[in-house]
Structures are given as structure tokens and as C-alpha cells.
Amino acid sequence: MALALTLLADTHLPRRARDLPAEVWDAVESADVVVHAGDWVGVALLDEIQVRSRRLVGVVGNNDHGVLRERLPEVARVELEGVRLAVVHETGAAAGREARCAATYPDVDVLVFGHSHIPWDTVAPGGLRLLNPGSPTDRRRQPHCTYLTAVADAGELRDVVLHRLPPRT
């Protein structure tokens, strides 16, 4: 059975926005699994996503403190329809990222990460796929706020789509 995934990171609520965009909430509610790669900032968003999603896999980021650190791990690992997935907030500098992450996570197929707010989709030598969904609330120097959707099915991650959100008004 294929699983629909919504991948988020760097939501920074309520500092960077009051709420997630409606399109992101729709993606959260329609996904089989929501993956969040840290920097929630406020625990209210964690609570809300847990209520509105079928399943959540999340980690803490460098801006997450207190209750978030008590409730979330630094690294999460899960197998979804045969896809071995790890989630972490920080992976270090972009230079050398693929080789560094392949050495650190040799037992996974996909690594979802955040921190930079820069969308990323590459494959390391050896096959590890690295995905960063960017941020749905804080584009920094990127042209758009973003998030990712994908499908896990029969040991394969497919239909990976980067969604660009319209500017906030």
C-alpha cells in the first residue's frame, strides 16, 4: 500500500508566521505520514500537527527548546512501505554533504533534513537520497516558501514534488 508523505522543516511558529499556510494544512491532513525536520519553535504547532495528521515523524532543531526537546528526538528513523527513512535537523555545510551523510546514515534510503531553509534533492554515491523541504513560512533568500510531498511504495520513494507557496499577504 502506497503512503502519501508531506515533508516539512523550519516552520518557526509563531516567530516567522502566525500559522502554516492553508495549502500546507491541507497537505498535512491528506498525508498518511507527516515528516518534520525540526525548528518548530513553538510546541503548539507540534500539538496541532499531531491532532491533524494521521502519523507524525519529527525531530528537534537548533531553535527548539523546553518541551519540544523533551518530546522529540534529535534523529528519527522509520521504515515506510519498505523505504528506510531518517530525519535530522542539521547536516552541516553543503560542501561534502552527500558523502558525509552517506557515511553517517549508511542504513537508510532517504535522509530528510532542514536548517538551511534551502530546498535540496540529491543522491549520494551509494544511493542515499537527501531531501530538504525548505521552509513553508520563512523563505530567507529563496524565491519561495516551500514544502515537499512524496509517495513511499514498495521500497521506493517516488513522485517527489517541491511545492512553491504564493507570497504571503
Side-chain angles (χ1 to χ4, degrees):
M1 177 181 94
L3 292 176
L5 312 179
T6 294
L7 291 80
L8 304 171
D10 297 294
T11 45
H12 290 270
L13 293 183
R15 290 191 189 146
R16 298 289 185 229
R18 286 189 206 107
D19 199 359
L20 293 179
E23 176 182 328
V24 176
W25 279 121
D26 290 345
V28 164
E29 291 171 349
S30 66
D32 297 302
V33 181
V34 175
V35 176
H36 193 300
D39 272 4
W40 307 74
V41 177
V43 72
L45 180 63
L46 172 60
D47 292 338
E48 185 80 8
I49 288 180
Q50 284 181 315
V51 167
R52 293 172 74 166
S53 67
R54 292 183 189 106
R55 181 177 179 190
L56 172 65
V57 178
V59 298
V60 294
N62 60 301
N63 286 296
D64 297 330
H65 304 287
V67 173
L68 289 166
R69 290 215 171 261
E70 293 169 10
R71 291 176 51 187
L72 295 166
E74 288 192 30
V75 177
R77 294 171 186 265
V78 64
E79 187 168 319
L80 303 171
E81 287 302 311
V83 177
R84 299 169 303 163
L85 185 119
V87 187
V88 67
H89 185 61
E90 293 185 59
T91 59
R97 177 176 285 143
E98 287 84 1
R100 192 172 53 250
C101 290
T104 305
Y105 301 94
D107 58 334
V108 300
D109 304 308
V110 177
L111 177 66
V112 179
F113 67 99
H115 189 61
S116 67
H117 299 219
I118 299 171
W120 189 279
D121 184 354
T122 59
V123 178
L128 173 66
R129 188 162 186 184
L130 291 93
L131 294 173
N132 184 330
S135 171
T137 57
D138 184 12
R139 64 183 180 89
R140 287 193 182 160
R141 292 172 297 281
Q142 299 304 301
H144 304 278
C145 289
T146 58
Y147 69 100
L148 287 168
T149 56
V151 174
D153 187 19
E156 178 187 1
L157 188 72
R158 59 178 173 81
D159 303 335
V160 177
V161 176
L162 178 68
H163 298 267
R164 292 173 176 87
L165 294 162
R168 289 188 300 203
T169 55

